[in-house]
Amino acid sequence: MSASQSAVAATLLDRHGSTYAREAGITLKDTPQPLYQLLVLSSLLSARIRASVAVAAARALFQDGIRNPRTMAAASWQERVDALGEGGYRRYDERTATQLGDGAELLLQEHRGDLRQLREEADGDERTLVQGLRETPGMGPAGADIFLREAQAVWPEYAPHFDGKALQGAERLGLPQNPKRLARLAGDAGPAVFAAALVRAALEKKVADDVLEHAG
């Protein structure tokens, strides 16, 4: 670990170190409601749409009282569409509104609305957990990766998890591509926060440029 890499990592964390869950107003804990909210956010973030729009759409859903599988399933399709629209999530709003409703009903039927059952069934096996997550309508590989990237803060058996997008950010910043080395660079902030910051560097060149300028 070179001094320059340490400086880059510290600057990235100082200036852009926040999870997407936190940005969406989710206080992530190993309890059913925030884990479900993270699932919703991960699904929204996985679409080909700006991350800021996905975060705003998630916040709008939660602020409208659609915060758990029961309220998601109980909400009408139009209520979901309207909430997504409030966040600017208009390109995929109709399809996503349907998928969110179907996903909530499936989670209630299969796991009583509690994603911790998936964790228990996976027993630390990432492939099994991803397969379970991907049963959710609209949840593809990217969405499952996003969920794991953020959930590792409360499900440490899956840490360190740096997905392809986080590794792109690391490459852009001249940081190592090895998850264990990245986890060491994360220090006390933890891999979830560091991974989210790296994703920001991957998605926005101005973030990477800002970090490299101030780290020097």
mmCIF file of all heavy atoms in Angstrom, residues 7-18 20 23 51-52 165-166 168-170 172-175 193-216:
data_model
loop_
_atom_site.group_PDB
_atom_site.id
_atom_site.type_symbol
_atom_site.label_atom_id
_atom_site.label_comp_id
_atom_site.label_asym_id
_atom_site.label_seq_id
_atom_site.Cartn_x
_atom_site.Cartn_y
_atom_site.Cartn_z
ATOM 1 N N ALA A 7 -3.435 8.230 0.400
ATOM 2 C CA ALA A 7 -3.926 9.603 0.310
ATOM 3 C C ALA A 7 -5.163 9.685 -0.580
ATOM 4 O O ALA A 7 -6.122 10.394 -0.266
ATOM 5 C CB ALA A 7 -2.827 10.518 -0.221
ATOM 6 N N VAL A 8 -5.139 8.965 -1.703
ATOM 7 C CA VAL A 8 -6.285 8.954 -2.613
ATOM 8 C C VAL A 8 -7.508 8.360 -1.913
ATOM 9 O O VAL A 8 -8.614 8.910 -1.983
ATOM 10 C CB VAL A 8 -5.953 8.165 -3.898
ATOM 11 C CG1 VAL A 8 -7.219 7.907 -4.711
ATOM 12 C CG2 VAL A 8 -4.937 8.926 -4.743
ATOM 13 N N ALA A 9 -7.312 7.240 -1.221
ATOM 14 C CA ALA A 9 -8.424 6.594 -0.523
ATOM 15 C C ALA A 9 -8.996 7.505 0.557
ATOM 16 O O ALA A 9 -10.222 7.642 0.685
ATOM 17 C CB ALA A 9 -7.959 5.272 0.090
ATOM 18 N N ALA A 10 -8.123 8.147 1.329
ATOM 19 C CA ALA A 10 -8.584 9.027 2.408
ATOM 20 C C ALA A 10 -9.346 10.222 1.843
ATOM 21 O O ALA A 10 -10.374 10.639 2.394
ATOM 22 C CB ALA A 10 -7.397 9.497 3.237
ATOM 23 N N THR A 11 -8.861 10.765 0.731
ATOM 24 C CA THR A 11 -9.526 11.915 0.108
ATOM 25 C C THR A 11 -10.873 11.517 -0.464
ATOM 26 O O THR A 11 -11.874 12.238 -0.317
ATOM 27 C CB THR A 11 -8.638 12.502 -1.003
ATOM 28 O OG1 THR A 11 -7.360 12.851 -0.450
ATOM 29 C CG2 THR A 11 -9.274 13.743 -1.621
ATOM 30 N N LEU A 12 -10.922 10.356 -1.100
ATOM 31 C CA LEU A 12 -12.189 9.858 -1.650
ATOM 32 C C LEU A 12 -13.224 9.694 -0.546
ATOM 33 O O LEU A 12 -14.376 10.121 -0.686
ATOM 34 C CB LEU A 12 -11.955 8.523 -2.357
ATOM 35 C CG LEU A 12 -13.202 7.817 -2.896
ATOM 36 C CD1 LEU A 12 -13.850 8.629 -4.019
ATOM 37 C CD2 LEU A 12 -12.853 6.411 -3.384
ATOM 38 N N LEU A 13 -12.810 9.092 0.559
ATOM 39 C CA LEU A 13 -13.738 8.869 1.672
ATOM 40 C C LEU A 13 -14.166 10.189 2.310
ATOM 41 O O LEU A 13 -15.333 10.357 2.685
ATOM 42 C CB LEU A 13 -13.083 7.967 2.714
ATOM 43 C CG LEU A 13 -12.985 6.488 2.310
ATOM 44 C CD1 LEU A 13 -12.007 5.749 3.209
ATOM 45 C CD2 LEU A 13 -14.359 5.835 2.359
ATOM 46 N N ASP A 14 -13.242 11.112 2.414
ATOM 47 C CA ASP A 14 -13.550 12.397 3.043
ATOM 48 C C ASP A 14 -14.548 13.202 2.214
ATOM 49 O O ASP A 14 -15.458 13.834 2.758
ATOM 50 C CB ASP A 14 -12.259 13.192 3.242
ATOM 51 C CG ASP A 14 -12.515 14.542 3.893
ATOM 52 O OD1 ASP A 14 -13.055 14.562 5.013
ATOM 53 O OD2 ASP A 14 -12.171 15.576 3.281
ATOM 54 N N ARG A 15 -14.403 13.155 0.898
ATOM 55 C CA ARG A 15 -15.192 14.027 0.034
ATOM 56 C C ARG A 15 -16.427 13.342 -0.557
ATOM 57 O O ARG A 15 -17.394 14.011 -0.916
ATOM 58 C CB ARG A 15 -14.310 14.583 -1.090
ATOM 59 C CG ARG A 15 -13.135 15.406 -0.569
ATOM 60 C CD ARG A 15 -12.249 15.929 -1.707
ATOM 61 N NE ARG A 15 -12.899 16.964 -2.486
ATOM 62 C CZ ARG A 15 -12.960 18.247 -2.150
ATOM 63 N NH1 ARG A 15 -12.405 18.671 -1.017
ATOM 64 N NH2 ARG A 15 -13.550 19.128 -2.928
ATOM 65 N N HIS A 16 -16.397 12.006 -0.643
ATOM 66 C CA HIS A 16 -17.502 11.302 -1.313
ATOM 67 C C HIS A 16 -17.894 10.020 -0.590
ATOM 68 O O HIS A 16 -18.553 9.160 -1.180
ATOM 69 C CB HIS A 16 -17.115 10.980 -2.761
ATOM 70 C CG HIS A 16 -16.682 12.182 -3.545
ATOM 71 N ND1 HIS A 16 -17.573 13.100 -4.058
ATOM 72 C CD2 HIS A 16 -15.431 12.639 -3.870
ATOM 73 C CE1 HIS A 16 -16.898 14.069 -4.683
ATOM 74 N NE2 HIS A 16 -15.610 13.814 -4.578
ATOM 75 N N GLY A 17 -17.525 9.908 0.678
ATOM 76 C CA GLY A 17 -17.753 8.679 1.414
ATOM 77 C C GLY A 17 -19.122 8.581 2.056
ATOM 78 O O GLY A 17 -19.316 8.951 3.220
ATOM 79 N N SER A 18 -20.086 8.096 1.298
ATOM 80 C CA SER A 18 -21.438 7.883 1.816
ATOM 81 C C SER A 18 -22.078 6.777 0.999
ATOM 82 O O SER A 18 -21.927 6.728 -0.222
ATOM 83 C CB SER A 18 -22.276 9.157 1.708
ATOM 84 O OG SER A 18 -23.596 8.930 2.149
ATOM 85 N N TYR A 20 -25.114 4.672 -0.825
ATOM 86 C CA TYR A 20 -26.327 5.084 -1.528
ATOM 87 C C TYR A 20 -27.549 4.900 -0.630
ATOM 88 O O TYR A 20 -28.514 5.651 -0.732
ATOM 89 C CB TYR A 20 -26.473 4.307 -2.834
ATOM 90 C CG TYR A 20 -25.536 4.806 -3.906
ATOM 91 C CD1 TYR A 20 -24.295 4.212 -4.113
ATOM 92 C CD2 TYR A 20 -25.879 5.892 -4.705
ATOM 93 C CE1 TYR A 20 -23.420 4.682 -5.094
ATOM 94 C CE2 TYR A 20 -25.022 6.370 -5.691
ATOM 95 C CZ TYR A 20 -23.788 5.758 -5.873
ATOM 96 O OH TYR A 20 -22.925 6.241 -6.823
ATOM 97 N N GLU A 23 -27.844 7.961 1.389
ATOM 98 C CA GLU A 23 -28.302 9.063 0.545
ATOM 99 C C GLU A 23 -29.811 8.979 0.306
ATOM 100 O O GLU A 23 -30.489 10.008 0.167
ATOM 101 C CB GLU A 23 -27.551 9.033 -0.795
ATOM 102 C CG GLU A 23 -27.786 10.251 -1.667
ATOM 103 C CD GLU A 23 -26.995 10.203 -2.962
ATOM 104 O OE1 GLU A 23 -25.972 9.485 -3.021
ATOM 105 O OE2 GLU A 23 -27.407 10.892 -3.909
ATOM 106 N N ALA A 51 -27.884 7.631 -11.184
ATOM 107 C CA ALA A 51 -27.983 7.185 -9.795
ATOM 108 C C ALA A 51 -28.751 8.193 -8.952
ATOM 109 O O ALA A 51 -29.535 7.802 -8.078
ATOM 110 C CB ALA A 51 -26.586 6.953 -9.227
ATOM 111 N N SER A 52 -28.556 9.477 -9.202
ATOM 112 C CA SER A 52 -29.240 10.497 -8.405
ATOM 113 C C SER A 52 -30.750 10.411 -8.585
ATOM 114 O O SER A 52 -31.520 10.663 -7.638
ATOM 115 C CB SER A 52 -28.744 11.890 -8.806
ATOM 116 O OG SER A 52 -28.978 12.138 -10.192
ATOM 117 N N LYS A 165 -18.373 -2.274 -10.961
ATOM 118 C CA LYS A 165 -18.419 -0.815 -11.046
ATOM 119 C C LYS A 165 -17.485 -0.177 -10.025
ATOM 120 O O LYS A 165 -16.799 0.815 -10.325
ATOM 121 C CB LYS A 165 -19.852 -0.322 -10.844
ATOM 122 C CG LYS A 165 -20.054 1.156 -11.157
ATOM 123 C CD LYS A 165 -19.732 1.481 -12.613
ATOM 124 C CE LYS A 165 -20.735 0.891 -13.570
ATOM 125 N NZ LYS A 165 -20.476 1.326 -14.980
ATOM 126 N N ALA A 166 -17.422 -0.730 -8.832
ATOM 127 C CA ALA A 166 -16.485 -0.217 -7.823
ATOM 128 C C ALA A 166 -15.046 -0.405 -8.282
ATOM 129 O O ALA A 166 -14.197 0.482 -8.086
ATOM 130 C CB ALA A 166 -16.713 -0.918 -6.486
ATOM 131 N N GLN A 168 -14.041 -0.457 -11.333
ATOM 132 C CA GLN A 168 -13.795 0.552 -12.374
ATOM 133 C C GLN A 168 -13.353 1.868 -11.739
ATOM 134 O O GLN A 168 -12.448 2.545 -12.230
ATOM 135 C CB GLN A 168 -15.046 0.783 -13.205
ATOM 136 C CG GLN A 168 -15.371 -0.316 -14.193
ATOM 137 C CD GLN A 168 -16.657 -0.028 -14.955
ATOM 138 O OE1 GLN A 168 -17.051 1.133 -15.138
ATOM 139 N NE2 GLN A 168 -17.328 -1.080 -15.385
ATOM 140 N N GLY A 169 -14.026 2.233 -10.637
ATOM 141 C CA GLY A 169 -13.644 3.453 -9.934
ATOM 142 C C GLY A 169 -12.251 3.355 -9.364
ATOM 143 O O GLY A 169 -11.471 4.319 -9.413
ATOM 144 N N ALA A 170 -11.911 2.183 -8.813
ATOM 145 C CA ALA A 170 -10.568 1.977 -8.268
ATOM 146 C C ALA A 170 -9.518 2.135 -9.361
ATOM 147 O O ALA A 170 -8.477 2.786 -9.160
ATOM 148 C CB ALA A 170 -10.470 0.602 -7.627
ATOM 149 N N ARG A 172 -9.761 3.851 -12.134
ATOM 150 C CA ARG A 172 -9.702 5.260 -12.543
ATOM 151 C C ARG A 172 -8.858 6.080 -11.574
ATOM 152 O O ARG A 172 -8.202 7.052 -11.974
ATOM 153 C CB ARG A 172 -11.127 5.819 -12.631
ATOM 154 C CG ARG A 172 -11.202 7.287 -12.966
ATOM 155 C CD ARG A 172 -12.641 7.729 -13.220
ATOM 156 N NE ARG A 172 -13.005 7.514 -14.613
ATOM 157 C CZ ARG A 172 -14.198 7.833 -15.147
ATOM 158 N NH1 ARG A 172 -15.137 8.329 -14.354
ATOM 159 N NH2 ARG A 172 -14.443 7.641 -16.418
ATOM 160 N N LEU A 173 -8.854 5.677 -10.305
ATOM 161 C CA LEU A 173 -8.118 6.418 -9.276
ATOM 162 C C LEU A 173 -6.712 5.859 -9.033
ATOM 163 O O LEU A 173 -5.995 6.339 -8.158
ATOM 164 C CB LEU A 173 -8.906 6.394 -7.963
ATOM 165 C CG LEU A 173 -10.206 7.192 -7.970
ATOM 166 C CD1 LEU A 173 -11.039 6.859 -6.744
ATOM 167 C CD2 LEU A 173 -9.919 8.687 -8.038
ATOM 168 N N GLY A 174 -6.333 4.829 -9.797
ATOM 169 C CA GLY A 174 -5.015 4.245 -9.614
ATOM 170 C C GLY A 174 -4.903 3.404 -8.360
ATOM 171 O O GLY A 174 -3.811 3.235 -7.804
ATOM 172 N N LEU A 175 -6.026 2.844 -7.909
ATOM 173 C CA LEU A 175 -6.051 2.015 -6.716
ATOM 174 C C LEU A 175 -6.058 0.537 -7.111
ATOM 175 O O LEU A 175 -6.392 0.195 -8.243
ATOM 176 C CB LEU A 175 -7.289 2.349 -5.870
ATOM 177 C CG LEU A 175 -7.340 3.782 -5.320
ATOM 178 C CD1 LEU A 175 -8.652 4.007 -4.587
ATOM 179 C CD2 LEU A 175 -6.158 4.068 -4.410
ATOM 180 N N VAL A 193 -18.950 1.653 2.526
ATOM 181 C CA VAL A 193 -18.807 3.090 2.257
ATOM 182 C C VAL A 193 -17.771 3.323 1.165
ATOM 183 O O VAL A 193 -17.972 4.122 0.241
ATOM 184 C CB VAL A 193 -18.414 3.846 3.543
ATOM 185 C CG1 VAL A 193 -18.088 5.302 3.241
ATOM 186 C CG2 VAL A 193 -19.540 3.764 4.565
ATOM 187 N N PHE A 194 -16.659 2.611 1.255
ATOM 188 C CA PHE A 194 -15.582 2.791 0.275
ATOM 189 C C PHE A 194 -16.045 2.341 -1.109
ATOM 190 O O PHE A 194 -15.768 3.009 -2.113
ATOM 191 C CB PHE A 194 -14.353 2.010 0.722
ATOM 192 C CG PHE A 194 -13.084 2.381 -0.013
ATOM 193 C CD1 PHE A 194 -12.796 3.694 -0.333
ATOM 194 C CD2 PHE A 194 -12.168 1.405 -0.359
ATOM 195 C CE1 PHE A 194 -11.624 4.042 -0.990
ATOM 196 C CE2 PHE A 194 -10.993 1.728 -1.013
ATOM 197 C CZ PHE A 194 -10.717 3.043 -1.339
ATOM 198 N N ALA A 195 -16.764 1.215 -1.172
ATOM 199 C CA ALA A 195 -17.250 0.727 -2.462
ATOM 200 C C ALA A 195 -18.199 1.739 -3.105
ATOM 201 O O ALA A 195 -18.127 1.995 -4.310
ATOM 202 C CB ALA A 195 -17.946 -0.620 -2.289
ATOM 203 N N ALA A 196 -19.094 2.322 -2.310
ATOM 204 C CA ALA A 196 -20.023 3.320 -2.857
ATOM 205 C C ALA A 196 -19.267 4.532 -3.383
ATOM 206 O O ALA A 196 -19.606 5.080 -4.439
ATOM 207 C CB ALA A 196 -21.017 3.745 -1.783
ATOM 208 N N ALA A 197 -18.237 4.953 -2.653
ATOM 209 C CA ALA A 197 -17.434 6.097 -3.105
ATOM 210 C C ALA A 197 -16.706 5.765 -4.404
ATOM 211 O O ALA A 197 -16.603 6.608 -5.304
ATOM 212 C CB ALA A 197 -16.441 6.492 -2.014
ATOM 213 N N LEU A 198 -16.206 4.547 -4.508
ATOM 214 C CA LEU A 198 -15.536 4.128 -5.747
ATOM 215 C C LEU A 198 -16.509 4.103 -6.920
ATOM 216 O O LEU A 198 -16.152 4.463 -8.048
ATOM 217 C CB LEU A 198 -14.913 2.744 -5.559
ATOM 218 C CG LEU A 198 -13.682 2.676 -4.660
ATOM 219 C CD1 LEU A 198 -13.318 1.226 -4.361
ATOM 220 C CD2 LEU A 198 -12.483 3.393 -5.291
ATOM 221 N N VAL A 199 -17.742 3.694 -6.666
ATOM 222 C CA VAL A 199 -18.750 3.697 -7.724
ATOM 223 C C VAL A 199 -19.004 5.122 -8.208
ATOM 224 O O VAL A 199 -19.138 5.363 -9.412
ATOM 225 C CB VAL A 199 -20.057 3.046 -7.231
ATOM 226 C CG1 VAL A 199 -21.199 3.277 -8.226
ATOM 227 C CG2 VAL A 199 -19.847 1.556 -7.017
ATOM 228 N N ARG A 200 -19.046 6.064 -7.283
ATOM 229 C CA ARG A 200 -19.228 7.469 -7.687
ATOM 230 C C ARG A 200 -18.086 7.928 -8.591
ATOM 231 O O ARG A 200 -18.301 8.666 -9.551
ATOM 232 C CB ARG A 200 -19.339 8.360 -6.453
ATOM 233 C CG ARG A 200 -20.640 8.167 -5.683
ATOM 234 C CD ARG A 200 -20.780 9.170 -4.545
ATOM 235 N NE ARG A 200 -22.102 9.063 -3.932
ATOM 236 C CZ ARG A 200 -22.402 8.251 -2.935
ATOM 237 N NH1 ARG A 200 -21.448 7.490 -2.402
ATOM 238 N NH2 ARG A 200 -23.632 8.180 -2.452
ATOM 239 N N ALA A 201 -16.888 7.472 -8.272
ATOM 240 C CA ALA A 201 -15.735 7.830 -9.106
ATOM 241 C C ALA A 201 -15.837 7.188 -10.482
ATOM 242 O O ALA A 201 -15.385 7.763 -11.480
ATOM 243 C CB ALA A 201 -14.442 7.412 -8.421
ATOM 244 N N ALA A 202 -16.423 5.993 -10.543
ATOM 245 C CA ALA A 202 -16.604 5.323 -11.832
ATOM 246 C C ALA A 202 -17.678 6.001 -12.667
ATOM 247 O O ALA A 202 -17.544 6.135 -13.888
ATOM 248 C CB ALA A 202 -16.962 3.855 -11.609
ATOM 249 N N LEU A 203 -18.756 6.433 -12.012
ATOM 250 C CA LEU A 203 -19.897 7.006 -12.737
ATOM 251 C C LEU A 203 -19.663 8.442 -13.167
ATOM 252 O O LEU A 203 -20.209 8.889 -14.182
ATOM 253 C CB LEU A 203 -21.149 6.936 -11.855
ATOM 254 C CG LEU A 203 -21.687 5.541 -11.534
ATOM 255 C CD1 LEU A 203 -22.872 5.634 -10.583
ATOM 256 C CD2 LEU A 203 -22.087 4.804 -12.805
ATOM 257 N N GLU A 204 -18.851 9.176 -12.400
ATOM 258 C CA GLU A 204 -18.644 10.594 -12.696
ATOM 259 C C GLU A 204 -17.157 10.922 -12.702
ATOM 260 O O GLU A 204 -16.499 10.874 -11.668
ATOM 261 C CB GLU A 204 -19.345 11.457 -11.648
ATOM 262 C CG GLU A 204 -20.851 11.292 -11.617
ATOM 263 C CD GLU A 204 -21.499 12.280 -10.674
ATOM 264 O OE1 GLU A 204 -21.302 13.497 -10.864
ATOM 265 O OE2 GLU A 204 -22.191 11.838 -9.735
ATOM 266 N N LYS A 205 -16.663 11.255 -13.871
ATOM 267 C CA LYS A 205 -15.241 11.581 -13.997
ATOM 268 C C LYS A 205 -14.860 12.769 -13.122
ATOM 269 O O LYS A 205 -13.748 12.838 -12.594
ATOM 270 C CB LYS A 205 -14.892 11.869 -15.459
ATOM 271 C CG LYS A 205 -13.392 12.067 -15.713
ATOM 272 C CD LYS A 205 -13.116 12.218 -17.185
ATOM 273 C CE LYS A 205 -11.616 12.358 -17.427
ATOM 274 N NZ LYS A 205 -11.064 13.586 -16.849
ATOM 275 N N LYS A 206 -15.802 13.689 -12.923
ATOM 276 C CA LYS A 206 -15.493 14.869 -12.119
ATOM 277 C C LYS A 206 -15.207 14.487 -10.671
ATOM 278 O O LYS A 206 -14.444 15.173 -9.983
ATOM 279 C CB LYS A 206 -16.625 15.894 -12.194
ATOM 280 C CG LYS A 206 -17.943 15.449 -11.586
ATOM 281 C CD LYS A 206 -19.002 16.538 -11.733
ATOM 282 C CE LYS A 206 -20.326 16.108 -11.096
ATOM 283 N NZ LYS A 206 -21.365 17.150 -11.248
ATOM 284 N N VAL A 207 -15.810 13.398 -10.192
ATOM 285 C CA VAL A 207 -15.526 12.921 -8.839
ATOM 286 C C VAL A 207 -14.085 12.434 -8.760
ATOM 287 O O VAL A 207 -13.339 12.786 -7.844
ATOM 288 C CB VAL A 207 -16.499 11.795 -8.426
ATOM 289 C CG1 VAL A 207 -16.031 11.131 -7.134
ATOM 290 C CG2 VAL A 207 -17.902 12.349 -8.257
ATOM 291 N N ALA A 208 -13.694 11.619 -9.722
ATOM 292 C CA ALA A 208 -12.319 11.124 -9.744
ATOM 293 C C ALA A 208 -11.326 12.270 -9.874
ATOM 294 O O ALA A 208 -10.294 12.297 -9.181
ATOM 295 C CB ALA A 208 -12.144 10.132 -10.898
ATOM 296 N N ASP A 209 -11.622 13.212 -10.759
ATOM 297 C CA ASP A 209 -10.721 14.352 -10.941
ATOM 298 C C ASP A 209 -10.595 15.170 -9.657
ATOM 299 O O ASP A 209 -9.502 15.618 -9.293
ATOM 300 C CB ASP A 209 -11.226 15.256 -12.086
ATOM 301 C CG ASP A 209 -11.106 14.593 -13.436
ATOM 302 O OD1 ASP A 209 -10.367 13.595 -13.567
ATOM 303 O OD2 ASP A 209 -11.768 15.073 -14.390
ATOM 304 N N ASP A 210 -11.710 15.350 -8.973
ATOM 305 C CA ASP A 210 -11.724 16.098 -7.713
ATOM 306 C C ASP A 210 -10.823 15.409 -6.669
ATOM 307 O O ASP A 210 -10.035 16.053 -5.988
ATOM 308 C CB ASP A 210 -13.160 16.197 -7.200
ATOM 309 C CG ASP A 210 -13.251 16.741 -5.791
ATOM 310 O OD1 ASP A 210 -13.004 17.947 -5.597
ATOM 311 O OD2 ASP A 210 -13.565 15.963 -4.867
ATOM 312 N N VAL A 211 -10.957 14.087 -6.590
ATOM 313 C CA VAL A 211 -10.184 13.334 -5.610
ATOM 314 C C VAL A 211 -8.697 13.416 -5.912
ATOM 315 O O VAL A 211 -7.872 13.681 -5.033
ATOM 316 C CB VAL A 211 -10.649 11.862 -5.557
ATOM 317 C CG1 VAL A 211 -9.696 11.016 -4.742
ATOM 318 C CG2 VAL A 211 -12.055 11.781 -4.977
ATOM 319 N N LEU A 212 -8.349 13.182 -7.162
ATOM 320 C CA LEU A 212 -6.934 13.180 -7.547
ATOM 321 C C LEU A 212 -6.312 14.568 -7.367
ATOM 322 O O LEU A 212 -5.153 14.694 -6.973
ATOM 323 C CB LEU A 212 -6.789 12.707 -8.994
ATOM 324 C CG LEU A 212 -7.155 11.243 -9.224
ATOM 325 C CD1 LEU A 212 -7.141 10.914 -10.701
ATOM 326 C CD2 LEU A 212 -6.212 10.312 -8.469
ATOM 327 N N GLU A 213 -7.109 15.604 -7.604
ATOM 328 C CA GLU A 213 -6.601 16.974 -7.408
ATOM 329 C C GLU A 213 -6.317 17.242 -5.944
ATOM 330 O O GLU A 213 -5.256 17.784 -5.583
ATOM 331 C CB GLU A 213 -7.621 17.977 -7.943
ATOM 332 C CG GLU A 213 -7.205 19.454 -7.720
ATOM 333 C CD GLU A 213 -8.299 20.419 -8.132
ATOM 334 O OE1 GLU A 213 -9.292 19.988 -8.758
ATOM 335 O OE2 GLU A 213 -8.166 21.612 -7.791
ATOM 336 N N HIS A 214 -7.223 16.874 -5.063
ATOM 337 C CA HIS A 214 -7.070 17.195 -3.652
ATOM 338 C C HIS A 214 -6.168 16.229 -2.912
ATOM 339 O O HIS A 214 -5.634 16.569 -1.851
ATOM 340 C CB HIS A 214 -8.445 17.265 -2.987
ATOM 341 C CG HIS A 214 -9.232 18.483 -3.373
ATOM 342 N ND1 HIS A 214 -10.039 18.528 -4.475
ATOM 343 C CD2 HIS A 214 -9.310 19.710 -2.790
ATOM 344 C CE1 HIS A 214 -10.590 19.730 -4.580
ATOM 345 N NE2 HIS A 214 -10.176 20.466 -3.567
ATOM 346 N N ALA A 215 -6.005 15.017 -3.461
ATOM 347 C CA ALA A 215 -5.105 14.055 -2.816
ATOM 348 C C ALA A 215 -3.655 14.437 -3.035
ATOM 349 O O ALA A 215 -2.790 14.082 -2.242
ATOM 350 C CB ALA A 215 -5.349 12.649 -3.354
ATOM 351 N N GLY A 216 -3.416 15.175 -4.122
ATOM 352 C CA GLY A 216 -2.037 15.575 -4.427
ATOM 353 C C GLY A 216 -1.565 16.713 -3.570
ATOM 354 O O GLY A 216 -0.370 16.941 -3.407
#
